[in-house]
Amino acid sequence: MNEQVREDFPILARRIYDKYPLVYLDNAATTQKPRQVVEAMTQEYYNANANVHRGVHFLSQQATELHEESRDVVRRFLNARSTSEIVFTRGTTESINLVASCYGQAFMKPGDEVILSEMEHHSNIVSWQLLQARQDIRLRVIPIDDQGRLRMDEYERLFNERTRIVSVTHVSNVLGTVNPVAEIVRIAHQHGVPVLIDGAQSTPHFTVDVQAMDCDFFAFSGHKVYGPTGIGVLYGKEQWLDRIPPYMGGGEMIKNVSFERTTFNDLPYKFEAGTPDYVASTGLARALDYVSAIGMSRIEAHERDLTAYALQQLGNMPGVHVFGHQPQGDAVISFRVGNIHHLDLGTLLDRLGIAVRTGHHCAEPLMRRLGVEGTVRASFALYNTRAEVDALVAGIERVRKMF
Ligand code: PLP
């Protein structure tokens, strides 16, 4: 699929420092955008720009239709039951903050507990710590084993009568571990506890089905799945979204306002105060159309092949240590090379046109568990090739010889 697909992403033809072809392996941070996404957004600005849900005029109705059709594209992508369950947000971070804040306000009292895991991104830690500061809730943490898997036995032991919610990532943005989310949900539901899944790193790589998982909330970011920045999604079962209060106040989210009493809008608008990024929702819908047309199972197979190839190549190199990658892991590999500092390695690879991530990857507690300050992370997307893995390996070899 690659040659034809790569042409859809103009940025991939760039030369870095006017010299090296770009080898973009920082896809877990953000993915590049295909023409189909950028052009759809440009066309909307040129031809159908007007504020949504407010106007009787032609353009406003057209913009509203586009926006609401996009919501249905997201619904289908996640296999949600209804568009009432699809809330547009700015991204995973905002979606998690919304749940922590609103669910916390409605259902958590001082001393109540949330279960997280040791491999969470900061957005799924700090949001709960803000609630902790406001409402004196407790954070309980599922540990991981030395292979980077959740300790499911420990998970079961964390439940007690104060447990109110479980909030865990679908896929680790550092280790590539794919967590057994259906099992996590099943156990939580046995205790009558709802589950939020952070899908920032799963939606770009394989089919996600919120009904099959039976999760209560699911968050993801458009920009990690070939869509624009500034838009993301919170899926929530209606039974929960109905029962939690709004996140922000403003236009769109109300039915009637008076100084004495305000009534809130129906789902999902109750959670969408202010003018939404209706052009970004179009971009997101075109991105989801794009990956769906290729086929999520084809994307998954391609990325699994690349990841396995990269692991095999890195495994043959002296001094390379890969952190906790599973055979069924996702398209993310974190590693270290001898005593070379991750920042030095990343900087020198960049000089060869190879873009990787270095640092703690917004997962400092996980870094502490791994006993490192940071790692180098290569993460793959549908447009990456084996030749790019070879370039990474050659680049590492070159840097290794310099040290
Ligand atoms: N959760 C995970 C697992 C992530 O990898 C990221 C981003 O790297 C986020 C949450 C936050 O996503 P965003 O910055 O798009 O809100």
Side-chain angles (χ1 to χ4, degrees):
M1 88 175 139
N2 286 71
E3 276 320 305
Q4 160 209 339
V5 157
R6 284 179 74 86
E7 283 176 15
D8 291 333
F9 295 82
I11 204 169
L12 299 179
R14 270 206 68 177
R15 297 221 148 230
I16 300 302
Y17 301 115
D18 288 331
K19 201 164 168 200
Y20 295 101
L22 169 65
V23 175
Y24 186 77
L25 302 178
D26 193 17
N27 295 288
T30 199
T31 48
Q32 300 302 345
K33 319 303 171 201
R35 287 177 202 281
Q36 289 84 339
V37 167
V38 180
E39 281 165 12
M41 293 173 73
T42 307
Q43 282 312 316
E44 184 162 352
Y45 275 127
Y46 284 164
N47 294 313
N49 180 54
N51 207 334
V52 292
H53 298 140
R54 293 171 194 197
V56 290
H57 61 80
F58 181 86
L59 279 187
S60 175
Q61 291 190 8
Q62 205 174 3
T64 303
E65 260 168 42
L66 277 170
H67 186 59
E68 292 307 322
E69 278 165 22
S70 299
R71 200 187 299 277
D72 197 49
V73 172
V74 174
R75 183 198 65 72
R76 270 183 275 132
F77 184 73
L78 296 179
N79 192 30
R81 277 177 209 87
S82 147
T83 47
S84 304
E85 300 176 319
I86 305 296
V87 178
F88 284 123
T89 63
R90 283 192 305 125
T92 308
T93 302
E94 187 174 288
S95 300
I96 296 173
N97 273 273
L98 189 162
V99 175
S101 180
C102 304
Y103 178 90
Q105 188 188 332
F107 291 105
M108 294 180 85
K109 293 190 292 300
D112 284 350
E113 298 180 356
V114 52
I115 297 179
L116 313 174
S117 88
E118 209 170 12
M119 65 170 82
E120 296 311 314
H121 187 277
H122 292 166
S123 57
N124 197 24
I125 300 173
V126 184
S127 315
W128 298 101
Q129 286 173 333
L130 294 180
L131 184 67
Q132 182 175 42
R134 282 201 307 273
Q135 289 180 210
D136 196 26
I137 62 145
R138 307 268 141 82
L139 274 49
R140 307 294 303 273
V141 181
I142 316 166
I144 59 167
D145 65 17
D146 291 339
Q147 281 74 47
R149 291 171 302 202
L150 289 184
R151 292 276 310 272
M152 291 298 281
D153 50 337
E154 293 287 339
Y155 168 57
E156 292 218 50
R157 277 200 275 277
L158 290 176
F159 284 90
N160 62 45
E161 70 287 351
R162 305 307 301 261
T163 311
R164 292 290 171 267
I165 188 164
V166 174
S167 187
V168 291
T169 193
H170 200 166
V171 172
S172 162
N173 66 319
V174 175
L175 304 169
T177 313
V178 181
N179 288 323
V181 283
E183 179 67 0
I184 289 170
V185 171
R186 193 185 61 75
I187 292 167
H189 285 179
Q190 276 176 356
H191 294 270
V193 171
V195 180
L196 162 62
I197 301 295
D198 170 352
Q201 299 294 344
S202 57
T203 38
H205 302 297
F206 51 83
T207 304
V208 163
D209 181 332
V210 290
Q211 291 192 66
M213 272 188 269
D214 199 24
C215 58
D216 301 275
F217 301 100
F218 185 91
F220 78 95
S221 298
H223 71 97
K224 291 188 196 285
V225 58
Y226 311 98
T229 49
I231 189 148
V233 170
L234 173 67
Y235 157 83
K237 283 184 182 164
E238 268 187 58
Q239 68 183 86
W240 288 114
L241 293 181
D242 263 337
R243 289 158 73 198
I244 64 179
Y247 187 41
M248 289 191 286
E252 293 282 309
M253 51 77 73
I254 49 88
K255 268 199 176 126
N256 298 103
V257 178
S258 72
F259 284 111
E260 289 70 40
R261 186 163 175 272
T262 289
T263 50
F264 302 128
N265 206 342
D266 298 328
L267 295 178
Y269 310 108
K270 178 173 107 179
F271 295 102
E272 295 182 351
T275 299
D277 197 339
Y278 52 83
V279 177
S281 63
T282 297
L284 173 60
R286 294 299 77 77
L288 300 182
D289 285 347
Y290 184 84
V291 292
S292 302
I294 293 174
M296 289 310 293
S297 46
R298 244 179 105 200
I299 293 171
E300 181 180 0
H302 171 70
E303 292 177 349
R304 272 194 196 285
D305 172 70
L306 273 186
T307 309
Y309 180 64
L311 284 171
Q312 183 203 339
Q313 298 295 307
L314 291 172
N316 292 335
M317 297 181 78
V320 172
H321 175 79
V322 172
F323 291 93
H325 206 283
Q326 300 299 306
Q328 290 308 308
D330 207 32
V332 178
I333 303 176
S334 272
F335 59 95
R336 188 178 63 199
V337 181
N339 290 326
I340 306 174
H341 194 274
H342 53 88
L343 252 179
D344 292 336
L345 181 54
T347 306
L348 291 166
L349 287 173
D350 169 65
R351 295 279 144 186
L352 302 170
I354 302 165
V356 290
R357 196 67 158 192
T358 61
H360 55 60
H361 316 297
C362 295
E364 285 191 28
L366 177 56
M367 293 298 124
R368 229 159 275 136
R369 168 66 174 83
L370 299 174
V372 292
E373 249 177 63
T375 72
V376 178
R377 181 183 75 184
S379 50
F380 305 111
L382 59 88
Y383 40 66
N384 289 122
T385 64
R386 280 189 172 217
E388 289 181 312
V389 174
D390 293 340
L392 170 70
V393 169
I396 295 171
E397 193 52 39
R398 207 160 142 183
V399 175
R400 207 169 58 82
K401 287 203 176 116
M402 286 166 66
F403 275 79

